[in-house]
Amino acid sequence: MDKTTRILTVDDSASMRALLNHALTSQGFDVAQAEDGEVALEWLALNEVDVVITDINMPRLDGFGLIEKLRQGNRHRDRPILVLTTESSEEKKARARQAGATGWIVKPFDPEKLVAAVRRVSH
Amino acid sequence: MPFESSPASPVTRINILQGQARVSAGPRVEFSTVLGSCVATCLFDPEIEVGGMNHFLLAEPPPNTHSGDFDEHYGVYLMELLINEMLAHGAAKSRMRAHLYGGANLNSGFARIGTKNAEFARSFLASERITVVREDLGGINARRVDFRPARGQVRCRTVENTLAPEPKPITRPAVSRGDVELF
């Protein structure tokens, strides 16, 4: 049997973190949560993870900045990073793609589709 | 700030329906909505004179939410959408000032959805550190809210309860949300 897939979700909204936590842990994923890009970077420096799911608009370090920093280092260069955002502009999507995001999901999210995407990018 | 009526300049009225969030810097734009148990949040950044309004039906999906239940009627989504739209227009979170309206319990027999909505809105804004400068929440009467986004002026009046939209999600469009695009 596969070992449990570990996910880090990065979102500044406590309500959104609770929704994500429920949607993912109920499907058997091991979920850690960070409230902005800075906290995520600190956590990722010390912990292993299989997939990162990040919001874009966050204080301190936003989603674009987080993706860029992760892609610059060796440890998380190839880590799947899914962007989960209310942003629907093509320009922002292109920017995320250029920064090195693996995928783009517009909120409100559908738990089944989110879980399917996590399974796809983590295998 | 008192609500100025300026008959000289015609106003473009935009109705904000359940599940919507709109932002504008248009000096003649007026957002309007009628609320029963729903809550409308008005945000205003006085420095750049931009404002926005949302109108949500329910606070948060229940913890045992099924796939697809989390949609654009929930405050948790519409609050974020409104704040992001404000940021996209150049507003700063630290300058934003909020007004909250609605959250009435029109029918005493039903679950107190209005109270839950009002509590959610207050706690969401508190956690986002956005100051609420005025609120008119709760009670048993429907409200009509008119908001001039570029001036931050709000007028809130009690209206006949029959004018409030049914607190029921309109059927979700066939187009599904949350689609995943892998690069």
Side-chain angles (χ1 to χ4, degrees), chain A residues 9-91:
Chain A
T9 74
V10 192
D11 202 305
D12 57 332
S13 157
S15 303
M16 190 57 65
R17 289 200 298 275
L19 282 174
L20 278 170
N21 192 44
H22 179 79
L24 296 169
T25 54
S26 66
Q27 295 301 310
F29 295 110
D30 185 358
V31 178
Q33 302 201 291
E35 62 199 42
D36 63 37
E38 286 289 346
V39 175
L41 276 185
E42 285 165 24
W43 192 88
L44 286 165
L46 301 168
N47 295 277
E48 292 300 325
V49 73
D50 299 302
V51 179
V52 175
I53 300 173
T54 183
D55 189 17
I56 288 294
N57 288 305
M58 293 181 290
R60 303 210 296 167
L61 181 64
D62 68 9
F64 296 128
L66 173 63
I67 297 168
E68 282 162 8
K69 293 219 173 197
L70 292 178
R71 293 311 188 215
Q72 282 161 14
N74 283 327
R75 248 167 83 82
H76 302 288
R77 185 176 291 162
D78 302 316
R79 189 81 52 226
I81 304 175
L82 297 173
V83 173
L84 178 62
T85 176
T86 55
E87 294 286 356
S88 51
S89 82
E90 289 296 321
E91 183 247 319

Coordinates of all heavy atoms in Angstrom, one line a residue, chain A residues 9-91:
Chain A
T9 N -1.1 23.0 2.9 CA -2.0 24.0 2.4 C -1.6 25.4 2.9 O -1.2 25.5 4.1 CB -3.5 23.8 2.7 OG1 -3.7 24.1 4.1 CG2 -3.9 22.3 2.4
V10 N -1.6 26.4 2.0 CA -1.1 27.7 2.4 C -2.3 28.7 2.1 O -2.6 28.9 0.9 CB 0.2 28.1 1.7 CG1 0.8 29.4 2.3 CG2 1.2 27.0 1.7
D11 N -2.9 29.2 3.1 CA -4.0 30.1 2.9 C -4.2 31.0 4.2 O -4.1 30.5 5.3 CB -5.3 29.3 2.7 CG -6.3 30.2 1.9 OD1 -6.7 31.3 2.4 OD2 -6.8 29.7 0.9
D12 N -4.4 32.3 4.0 CA -4.4 33.2 5.1 C -5.8 33.2 5.8 O -6.0 33.8 6.9 CB -4.0 34.6 4.7 CG -4.9 35.2 3.6 OD1 -5.4 34.4 2.8 OD2 -5.0 36.4 3.5
S13 N -6.8 32.6 5.1 CA -8.2 32.6 5.7 C -8.3 31.3 6.6 O -8.2 30.2 6.1 CB -9.2 32.6 4.6 OG -10.4 32.1 5.0
A14 N -8.6 31.6 7.8 CA -8.8 30.4 8.8 C -10.0 29.5 8.3 O -9.9 28.3 8.4 CB -9.1 30.9 10.2
S15 N -11.1 30.2 7.8 CA -12.2 29.4 7.4 C -11.8 28.5 6.2 O -12.2 27.4 6.1 CB -13.3 30.3 6.9 OG -13.7 31.2 8.0
M16 N -11.0 29.1 5.3 CA -10.6 28.3 4.1 C -9.7 27.2 4.5 O -9.8 26.1 4.0 CB -9.9 29.2 3.1 CG -9.7 28.6 1.8 SD -11.1 28.0 0.9 CE -12.0 29.5 0.6
R17 N -8.8 27.4 5.5 CA -8.0 26.3 6.0 C -8.8 25.2 6.6 O -8.5 24.0 6.3 CB -7.0 26.9 7.0 CG -5.9 27.8 6.5 CD -4.7 27.9 7.4 NE -5.0 28.5 8.7 CZ -5.1 29.8 8.9 NH1 -4.8 30.7 8.0 NH2 -5.4 30.3 10.1
A18 N -9.9 25.6 7.3 CA -10.7 24.5 7.9 C -11.4 23.7 6.8 O -11.5 22.5 6.9 CB -11.7 25.2 8.8
L19 N -11.9 24.4 5.8 CA -12.5 23.6 4.7 C -11.6 22.7 4.0 O -11.9 21.6 3.7 CB -13.1 24.6 3.7 CG -14.4 25.4 4.0 CD1 -14.6 26.4 2.9 CD2 -15.5 24.4 4.1
L20 N -10.4 23.2 3.7 CA -9.4 22.4 3.0 C -9.0 21.2 3.9 O -8.8 20.1 3.4 CB -8.1 23.2 2.7 CG -8.2 24.1 1.5 CD1 -7.0 25.1 1.5 CD2 -8.2 23.2 0.2
N21 N -8.8 21.5 5.2 CA -8.4 20.4 6.1 C -9.4 19.3 6.1 O -9.0 18.1 6.0 CB -8.2 21.0 7.5 CG -7.5 20.1 8.4 OD1 -6.5 19.4 8.1 ND2 -8.0 19.9 9.7
H22 N -10.7 19.7 6.2 CA -11.7 18.7 6.2 C -11.8 17.9 4.9 O -11.8 16.7 4.8 CB -13.1 19.3 6.5 CG -14.2 18.3 6.4 ND1 -14.4 17.4 7.5 CD2 -15.0 17.9 5.5 CE1 -15.4 16.6 7.2 NE2 -15.8 16.9 6.0
A23 N -11.7 18.6 3.8 CA -11.8 18.0 2.4 C -10.7 17.0 2.2 O -10.9 16.0 1.6 CB -11.8 19.1 1.3
L24 N -9.5 17.3 2.7 CA -8.3 16.5 2.4 C -8.1 15.4 3.5 O -7.8 14.2 3.1 CB -7.1 17.4 2.3 CG -7.1 18.4 1.2 CD1 -6.0 19.4 1.3 CD2 -7.0 17.6 -0.2
T25 N -8.3 15.7 4.8 CA -8.1 14.6 5.8 C -9.1 13.6 5.7 O -8.9 12.4 5.9 CB -8.1 15.2 7.2 OG1 -9.3 15.9 7.4 CG2 -6.9 16.1 7.5
S26 N -10.4 14.0 5.3 CA -11.4 13.0 5.1 C -11.1 12.0 4.0 O -11.7 10.9 4.0 CB -12.8 13.6 4.9 OG -12.8 14.3 3.7
Q27 N -10.2 12.3 3.1 CA -9.8 11.4 2.1 C -8.5 10.7 2.4 O -7.9 10.1 1.5 CB -9.7 12.2 0.7 CG -11.0 12.8 0.2 CD -12.0 11.7 0.0 OE1 -11.8 10.7 -0.7 NE2 -13.2 11.9 0.5
G28 N -8.1 10.8 3.6 CA -6.9 10.1 4.1 C -5.6 10.7 3.8 O -4.5 10.1 4.0
F29 N -5.6 12.0 3.5 CA -4.3 12.7 3.3 C -3.8 13.2 4.6 O -4.6 13.5 5.6 CB -4.5 13.9 2.3 CG -4.8 13.5 0.9 CD1 -6.1 13.8 0.4 CD2 -3.9 12.9 0.1 CE1 -6.4 13.4 -0.9 CE2 -4.2 12.5 -1.2 CZ -5.5 12.8 -1.7
D30 N -2.5 13.4 4.7 CA -1.8 13.9 5.9 C -1.6 15.4 5.6 O -0.9 15.8 4.7 CB -0.5 13.2 6.0 CG 0.3 13.6 7.3 OD1 -0.3 14.5 8.0 OD2 1.3 13.1 7.5
V31 N -2.3 16.3 6.4 CA -2.4 17.7 6.0 C -1.7 18.5 7.1 O -1.9 18.4 8.3 CB -3.9 18.1 5.9 CG1 -4.0 19.6 5.6 CG2 -4.6 17.3 4.8
A32 N -0.8 19.4 6.6 CA -0.3 20.5 7.4 C -0.7 21.8 6.8 O -1.0 21.9 5.6 CB 1.3 20.4 7.4
Q33 N -0.8 22.9 7.6 CA -1.3 24.1 7.2 C -0.5 25.3 7.6 O 0.1 25.3 8.7 CB -2.8 24.3 7.7 CG -3.7 23.1 7.2 CD -5.1 23.5 7.2 OE1 -5.7 23.7 8.3 NE2 -5.7 23.6 6.1
A34 N -0.3 26.2 6.6 CA 0.4 27.5 6.9 C -0.5 28.6 6.5 O -1.3 28.5 5.6 CB 1.7 27.5 6.1
E35 N -0.3 29.8 7.2 CA -1.2 30.9 7.0 C -0.6 32.0 6.0 O -1.4 32.9 5.6 CB -1.5 31.6 8.3 CG -0.3 32.2 9.0 CD -0.6 32.4 10.5 OE1 -1.2 31.5 11.1 OE2 -0.2 33.4 11.0
D36 N 0.6 31.8 5.6 CA 1.1 32.7 4.5 C 2.4 32.1 4.0 O 2.9 31.0 4.5 CB 1.4 34.1 5.0 CG 2.4 34.3 6.1 OD1 3.4 33.5 6.0 OD2 2.3 35.1 7.0
G37 N 3.0 32.7 3.0 CA 4.1 32.1 2.3 C 5.4 32.0 3.2 O 6.1 31.0 3.1
E38 N 5.5 33.0 4.1 CA 6.7 32.9 5.0 C 6.6 31.7 5.9 O 7.6 31.0 6.1 CB 6.8 34.2 5.8 CG 7.2 35.5 5.1 CD 8.7 35.4 4.7 OE1 9.4 34.6 5.3 OE2 9.1 36.3 3.9
V39 N 5.4 31.5 6.5 CA 5.3 30.4 7.4 C 5.5 29.1 6.6 O 6.1 28.1 7.1 CB 3.9 30.4 8.0 CG1 3.6 29.2 8.9 CG2 3.7 31.7 8.9
A40 N 5.0 29.1 5.4 CA 5.1 27.9 4.5 C 6.6 27.6 4.3 O 7.0 26.4 4.4 CB 4.4 28.1 3.2
L41 N 7.4 28.6 4.0 CA 8.8 28.4 3.7 C 9.5 27.9 4.9 O 10.4 26.9 4.8 CB 9.5 29.7 3.3 CG 9.3 30.2 1.8 CD1 10.1 31.5 1.7 CD2 9.8 29.1 0.9
E42 N 9.2 28.4 6.1 CA 9.9 27.9 7.3 C 9.5 26.5 7.5 O 10.4 25.7 7.9 CB 9.4 28.8 8.5 CG 10.0 30.2 8.6 CD 9.3 31.1 9.5 OE1 8.6 30.6 10.4 OE2 9.4 32.3 9.3
W43 N 8.3 26.1 7.3 CA 7.8 24.8 7.6 C 8.5 23.8 6.6 O 8.9 22.7 6.9 CB 6.3 24.7 7.4 CG 5.7 23.4 7.9 CD1 5.3 23.1 9.2 CD2 5.4 22.2 7.2 NE1 4.9 21.8 9.3 CE2 4.9 21.3 8.0 CE3 5.6 21.9 5.8 CZ2 4.6 20.0 7.6 CZ3 5.3 20.6 5.4 CH2 4.7 19.7 6.3
L44 N 8.5 24.3 5.3 CA 9.1 23.4 4.2 C 10.6 23.2 4.4 O 11.1 22.3 3.8 CB 8.7 24.0 2.9 CG 7.3 23.8 2.4 CD1 6.9 24.7 1.3 CD2 7.0 22.4 2.1
A45 N 11.3 24.1 5.1 CA 12.7 24.0 5.3 C 13.0 22.8 6.2 O 14.1 22.2 6.2 CB 13.3 25.3 5.8
L46 N 12.0 22.4 7.0 CA 12.2 21.4 8.0 C 11.4 20.1 7.8 O 11.7 19.1 8.4 CB 11.8 21.9 9.4 CG 12.6 23.2 9.9 CD1 11.9 23.8 11.1 CD2 14.1 22.9 10.1
N47 N 10.4 20.2 6.9 CA 9.5 19.1 6.8 C 9.5 18.6 5.3 O 9.7 19.4 4.4 CB 8.1 19.4 7.2 CG 8.1 19.7 8.7 OD1 8.0 18.8 9.5 ND2 8.2 21.0 9.1
E48 N 9.1 17.3 5.2 CA 8.9 16.8 3.8 C 7.4 16.8 3.5 O 6.6 16.7 4.3 CB 9.4 15.3 3.8 CG 10.9 15.1 4.0 CD 11.7 15.8 2.9 OE1 11.2 15.9 1.7 OE2 12.8 16.4 3.2
V49 N 7.2 17.0 2.2 CA 5.8 17.1 1.8 C 5.7 16.6 0.3 O 6.7 16.5 -0.4 CB 5.3 18.6 1.9 CG1 5.9 19.4 0.8 CG2 3.8 18.7 1.8
D50 N 4.5 16.1 -0.1 CA 4.4 15.6 -1.4 C 3.7 16.6 -2.4 O 4.0 16.6 -3.6 CB 3.5 14.3 -1.4 CG 4.2 13.2 -0.6 OD1 5.3 12.8 -0.9 OD2 3.6 12.7 0.4
V51 N 2.8 17.4 -1.8 CA 2.1 18.4 -2.7 C 1.9 19.6 -1.8 O 1.6 19.6 -0.6 CB 0.7 17.8 -3.1 CG1 0.0 18.9 -4.0 CG2 0.8 16.5 -3.9
V52 N 2.1 20.8 -2.5 CA 1.8 22.1 -1.9 C 0.5 22.7 -2.6 O 0.5 22.7 -3.8 CB 2.9 23.1 -2.0 CG1 2.6 24.4 -1.4 CG2 4.2 22.5 -1.2
I53 N -0.4 23.1 -1.8 CA -1.6 23.8 -2.3 C -1.6 25.2 -1.8 O -1.6 25.4 -0.6 CB -2.9 23.1 -1.9 CG1 -3.0 21.7 -2.4 CG2 -4.1 23.9 -2.5 CD1 -4.2 20.9 -1.9
T54 N -1.5 26.2 -2.6 CA -1.3 27.6 -2.1 C -2.3 28.6 -2.7 O -2.6 28.5 -3.9 CB 0.1 28.1 -2.3 OG1 0.2 29.4 -1.7 CG2 0.5 28.2 -3.8
D55 N -2.7 29.5 -1.9 CA -3.5 30.7 -2.2 C -2.6 31.7 -2.9 O -1.3 31.5 -2.9 CB -4.1 31.3 -1.0 CG -5.1 32.4 -1.2 OD1 -5.6 32.5 -2.3 OD2 -5.4 33.1 -0.3
I56 N -3.1 32.7 -3.5 CA -2.2 33.8 -4.1 C -2.2 35.0 -3.2 O -1.1 35.4 -2.8 CB -2.8 34.2 -5.5 CG1 -2.5 33.0 -6.5 CG2 -2.1 35.5 -6.0 CD1 -1.1 32.8 -6.8
N57 N -3.3 35.6 -2.9 CA -3.3 36.8 -2.1 C -3.1 36.5 -0.6 O -4.0 36.0 0.0 CB -4.6 37.6 -2.3 CG -4.6 38.2 -3.7 OD1 -3.7 38.9 -4.1 ND2 -5.7 37.9 -4.4
M58 N -1.9 36.8 -0.1 CA -1.6 36.5 1.3 C -0.7 37.6 1.8 O 0.1 38.2 1.0 CB -1.0 35.2 1.5 CG -1.9 34.0 1.2 SD -1.0 32.4 1.4 CE 0.2 32.4 0.1
P59 N -0.7 37.9 3.1 CA 0.2 38.9 3.6 C 1.7 38.4 3.6 O 1.9 37.2 3.5 CB -0.3 39.2 5.0 CG -1.0 37.9 5.4 CD -1.6 37.4 4.1
R60 N 2.6 39.3 3.8 CA 4.0 38.9 3.9 C 4.6 38.3 2.7 O 5.3 39.0 1.9 CB 4.3 38.0 5.1 CG 3.8 38.6 6.5 CD 4.6 38.2 7.6 NE 4.5 36.7 7.9 CZ 5.3 36.1 8.7 NH1 6.3 36.7 9.3 NH2 5.1 34.8 8.8
L61 N 4.3 37.1 2.4 CA 4.8 36.5 1.1 C 3.6 35.8 0.4 O 3.0 34.9 1.0 CB 5.9 35.4 1.4 CG 6.5 34.7 0.2 CD1 7.3 35.7 -0.7 CD2 7.4 33.6 0.7
D62 N 3.3 36.3 -0.8 CA 2.1 35.8 -1.5 C 2.5 34.5 -2.2 O 3.6 34.0 -2.2 CB 1.5 36.9 -2.4 CG 2.4 37.2 -3.6 OD1 3.4 36.5 -3.8 OD2 2.1 38.2 -4.3
G63 N 1.5 34.0 -2.9 CA 1.6 32.7 -3.5 C 2.7 32.7 -4.6 O 3.4 31.8 -4.8
F64 N 2.7 33.8 -5.4 CA 3.7 33.9 -6.5 C 5.1 33.8 -5.9 O 6.0 33.1 -6.4 CB 3.6 35.2 -7.3 CG 2.3 35.4 -8.0 CD1 1.5 36.5 -7.8 CD2 1.9 34.4 -8.9 CE1 0.3 36.6 -8.5 CE2 0.7 34.5 -9.6 CZ -0.1 35.7 -9.4
G65 N 5.3 34.6 -4.8 CA 6.6 34.7 -4.2 C 7.0 33.3 -3.6 O 8.2 32.9 -3.7
L66 N 6.0 32.6 -3.0 CA 6.3 31.3 -2.4 C 6.8 30.3 -3.5 O 7.8 29.6 -3.4 CB 5.1 30.8 -1.7 CG 5.1 29.3 -1.2 CD1 6.2 29.2 -0.2 CD2 3.8 28.9 -0.7
I67 N 6.0 30.3 -4.6 CA 6.4 29.4 -5.7 C 7.8 29.7 -6.3 O 8.6 28.8 -6.4 CB 5.3 29.5 -6.9 CG1 4.0 29.0 -6.4 CG2 5.8 28.6 -8.0 CD1 2.8 29.3 -7.3
E68 N 8.1 31.0 -6.5 CA 9.4 31.4 -7.0 C 10.5 30.9 -6.1 O 11.5 30.4 -6.5 CB 9.4 32.9 -7.2 CG 8.7 33.3 -8.5 CD 8.4 34.8 -8.5 OE1 8.8 35.5 -7.6 OE2 7.7 35.2 -9.4
K69 N 10.3 31.1 -4.8 CA 11.4 30.7 -3.8 C 11.6 29.2 -3.8 O 12.7 28.8 -3.7 CB 11.0 31.2 -2.4 CG 11.0 32.8 -2.3 CD 11.6 33.3 -1.0 CE 11.7 34.8 -1.2 NZ 12.5 35.4 -0.2
L70 N 10.4 28.5 -3.8 CA 10.6 27.0 -3.8 C 11.3 26.5 -5.1 O 12.0 25.6 -5.0 CB 9.2 26.4 -3.7 CG 8.5 26.6 -2.3 CD1 7.1 26.0 -2.3 CD2 9.3 26.1 -1.2
R71 N 11.0 27.2 -6.2 CA 11.6 26.7 -7.4 C 13.1 27.1 -7.5 O 13.9 26.5 -8.3 CB 10.9 27.3 -8.6 CG 9.4 26.8 -8.8 CD 9.3 25.3 -8.8 NE 8.0 24.8 -9.1 CZ 7.4 23.8 -8.6 NH1 8.1 23.1 -7.6 NH2 6.3 23.4 -9.0
Q72 N 13.5 28.1 -6.8 CA 14.9 28.6 -6.8 C 15.8 27.6 -6.0 O 17.0 27.4 -6.4 CB 15.1 29.9 -6.1 CG 14.7 31.1 -7.1 CD 14.4 32.4 -6.3 OE1 14.7 32.5 -5.1 NE2 13.8 33.3 -7.0
G73 N 15.2 27.0 -5.0 CA 16.0 26.0 -4.2 C 16.1 24.6 -4.8 O 15.4 24.4 -5.8
N74 N 16.9 23.8 -4.2 CA 17.0 22.4 -4.7 C 15.9 21.5 -4.2 O 15.3 20.6 -4.9 CB 18.3 21.8 -4.4 CG 19.4 22.3 -5.2 OD1 19.2 22.6 -6.4 ND2 20.6 22.5 -4.7
R75 N 15.6 21.7 -2.9 CA 14.7 20.8 -2.2 C 13.3 20.6 -2.8 O 12.8 19.5 -2.8 CB 14.5 21.3 -0.7 CG 15.2 20.4 0.3 CD 15.2 21.2 1.6 NE 13.9 21.1 2.3 CZ 13.6 20.0 3.1 NH1 14.4 19.0 3.2 NH2 12.4 20.0 3.7
H76 N 12.8 21.7 -3.3 CA 11.4 21.7 -3.7 C 11.2 22.1 -5.2 O 10.2 22.5 -5.6 CB 10.5 22.6 -2.8 CG 10.5 22.2 -1.4 ND1 9.9 21.1 -0.9 CD2 11.1 22.7 -0.3 CE1 10.1 21.0 0.4 NE2 10.9 22.0 0.8
R77 N 12.3 21.9 -5.9 CA 12.3 22.3 -7.3 C 11.3 21.6 -8.1 O 10.6 22.2 -9.0 CB 13.7 22.1 -7.9 CG 13.8 22.6 -9.3 CD 15.2 22.5 -9.9 NE 16.2 23.3 -9.2 CZ 17.5 23.2 -9.2 NH1 18.0 22.1 -9.8 NH2 18.3 24.0 -8.6
D78 N 11.1 20.3 -7.8 CA 10.1 19.5 -8.6 C 8.9 19.2 -7.9 O 8.1 18.3 -8.3 CB 10.8 18.2 -9.1 CG 12.1 18.5 -9.9 OD1 12.0 19.4 -10.8 OD2 13.1 17.9 -9.6
R79 N 8.7 19.8 -6.8 CA 7.5 19.5 -5.9 C 6.2 20.0 -6.6 O 6.2 21.1 -7.1 CB 7.6 20.3 -4.6 CG 6.6 20.0 -3.6 CD 6.9 18.7 -2.8 NE 8.3 18.8 -2.3 CZ 9.2 17.8 -2.4 NH1 8.9 16.7 -3.0 NH2 10.4 17.9 -1.8
P80 N 5.2 19.2 -6.7 CA 3.9 19.7 -7.3 C 3.3 20.8 -6.5 O 3.2 20.6 -5.3 CB 3.0 18.4 -7.3 CG 3.9 17.3 -7.1 CD 5.1 17.8 -6.3
I81 N 3.0 21.9 -7.1 CA 2.4 23.0 -6.4 C 1.1 23.4 -7.1 O 1.1 23.8 -8.3 CB 3.3 24.3 -6.4 CG1 4.7 23.9 -5.7 CG2 2.7 25.4 -5.6 CD1 5.7 25.1 -5.8
L82 N 0.0 23.3 -6.4 CA -1.3 23.6 -7.0 C -1.7 25.0 -6.4 O -1.6 25.2 -5.2 CB -2.4 22.6 -6.7 CG -2.1 21.2 -7.2 CD1 -3.2 20.2 -6.6 CD2 -2.2 21.2 -8.7
V83 N -2.1 25.9 -7.3 CA -2.6 27.2 -6.9 C -4.1 27.1 -6.7 O -4.8 26.6 -7.6 CB -2.2 28.3 -7.9 CG1 -2.9 29.6 -7.5 CG2 -0.7 28.5 -8.0
L84 N -4.6 27.5 -5.6 CA -6.1 27.5 -5.3 C -6.5 29.0 -4.9 O -6.1 29.5 -3.9 CB -6.4 26.6 -4.1 CG -7.8 26.4 -3.7 CD1 -8.7 25.9 -4.8 CD2 -7.9 25.5 -2.5
T85 N -7.2 29.6 -5.8 CA -7.4 31.0 -5.7 C -8.8 31.5 -6.1 O -9.4 30.8 -6.9 CB -6.3 31.8 -6.4 OG1 -6.5 33.2 -6.4 CG2 -6.3 31.4 -7.9
T86 N -9.2 32.7 -5.7 CA -10.4 33.3 -6.2 C -10.1 34.1 -7.5 O -10.9 34.6 -8.2 CB -11.1 34.2 -5.2 OG1 -10.1 35.2 -4.8 CG2 -11.6 33.5 -4.0
E87 N -8.8 34.3 -7.7 CA -8.4 35.0 -8.9 C -8.8 34.3 -10.2 O -8.5 33.1 -10.3 CB -6.8 35.2 -8.9 CG -6.3 36.1 -7.8 CD -6.5 37.5 -8.0 OE1 -7.1 37.9 -9.1 OE2 -6.2 38.3 -7.1
S88 N -9.4 35.0 -11.1 CA -9.8 34.2 -12.3 C -9.1 34.9 -13.5 O -9.4 34.5 -14.7 CB -11.3 34.2 -12.4 OG -11.8 35.5 -12.3
S89 N -8.2 35.8 -13.3 CA -7.6 36.5 -14.5 C -6.6 35.6 -15.2 O -5.8 34.9 -14.5 CB -7.0 37.8 -14.1 OG -5.7 37.7 -13.6
E90 N -6.6 35.7 -16.5 CA -5.6 34.9 -17.3 C -4.2 35.4 -17.0 O -3.2 34.6 -17.1 CB -5.9 35.1 -18.8 CG -7.2 34.4 -19.3 CD -7.1 32.9 -19.1 OE1 -6.0 32.3 -19.4 OE2 -8.1 32.3 -18.7
E91 N -4.1 36.7 -16.7 CA -2.7 37.3 -16.5 C -2.1 36.7 -15.2 O -1.0 36.3 -15.2 CB -2.9 38.8 -16.3 CG -1.6 39.5 -16.1 CD -1.5 40.2 -14.8 OE1 -2.5 40.7 -14.3 OE2 -0.4 40.1 -14.1

